Amino acid sequence: MNIPHRPRRNRKSEAIRGLVRETRLSVSELIFPLFLIDGQNKQTEVSSMPGIFRLSSDLMLREIEACLKLGISTFDIFPNLDEQLKDKTASESLNENGLYLRTIREIKKEFPEAVVMTDVAMDPYSSDGHDGFVKEGRILNDETLEILAKMAVAQAQAGADIVGPSDMMDGRVGCIREALDEYGFNEVSIMSYTAKYASAFYGPFRDALESAPRFGDKKTYQMDPANAREALLEASLDEAEGADFLMVKPALSYMDIIKSLSEQTSLPIAAYNVSGEYAMVKAAAAKGWIDGDRIRDEILLSIRRAGASVILTYFAKEYAIAAQARTF
């Protein structure tokens, strides 16, 4: 047969495939989300996320220590707070002696090399369970911004390296950037949840934090899953307001958005491989229907291939363990 171009020649061995491999995934590109609870020597597994635990601050320090040895450098911390600490204005988010800010200080004191990312949104602290300030059943945008700005400054004062506004309020990146700069935190980065969709994939996360909305849903501020061009608008606004990273959440059903944003901007794109995506793989693997490890690696590689420079994923630690094993 006269076939001048034979692509299979570049697939004939692992060594050759490695030479021409277009996309590579490194542990250093992964961010590990961690769930924080009050107490000492305390951990509780998230029932819908096998292998993922809510950790008290002392155990979280040990987890971070183990992950640093595996090459994971960045951790996104989410607090699970007692209902008695929640109110309409998220006042606990500013409590210097509260669980969240105290733990950030502890992490940075013991592991200054660790990169700490924080969550800037009202829902973990809100008695309404929403990401914004609620009045007469409505989530008010502009009234929320002042709360978020104060929250971000408090987290920066505690030692946060990256703040992650996950609320999807209009104008919050600019408001937070202005507040951080005003207080001298011009080196603290903002990873904006730029295209955060009103998704059904968040269920296990809300179980982990026990922070579901007390009424209604989040569709008036999170994006409609049907929309793609709207993500480009959100990205241009966040970039103009001073974001350092642009995030797409969830990842798997929004690969086109990751690709579009990566082609539109020179800012690094982050993708959040969310709790529901993790849970589906774990559930199917437990049934023996799929090879969970191979699926995990394929998912993370595909997110990278779509254009993400950074991946937030609950698979981070187990991927790092597998990657380390492959080097020996």
Side-chain angles (χ1 to χ4, degrees), residues 272-308:
Y272 202 142
N273 178 211
V274 299
S275 59
E277 297 166 347
Y278 174 91
M280 289 193 303
V281 173
K282 288 298 184 180
K287 289 285 190 179
W289 296 338
I290 60 171
D291 182 328
D293 292 346
R294 289 187 62 196
I295 292 288
R296 173 199 66 212
D297 294 355
E298 188 173 340
I299 285 172
L300 295 176
L301 188 65
S302 69
I303 296 169
R304 252 321 251 123
R305 190 185 66 243

Side-chain angles (χ1 to χ4, degrees), residues 30-50:
L30 305 180
I31 296 177
F32 193 19
L34 297 173
F35 298 120
L36 176 66
I37 55 174
D38 202 4
Q40 286 290 312
N41 194 33
K42 183 178 179 181
Q43 71 174 26
T44 59
E45 188 172 25
V46 181
S47 60
S48 53
M49 301 176 69

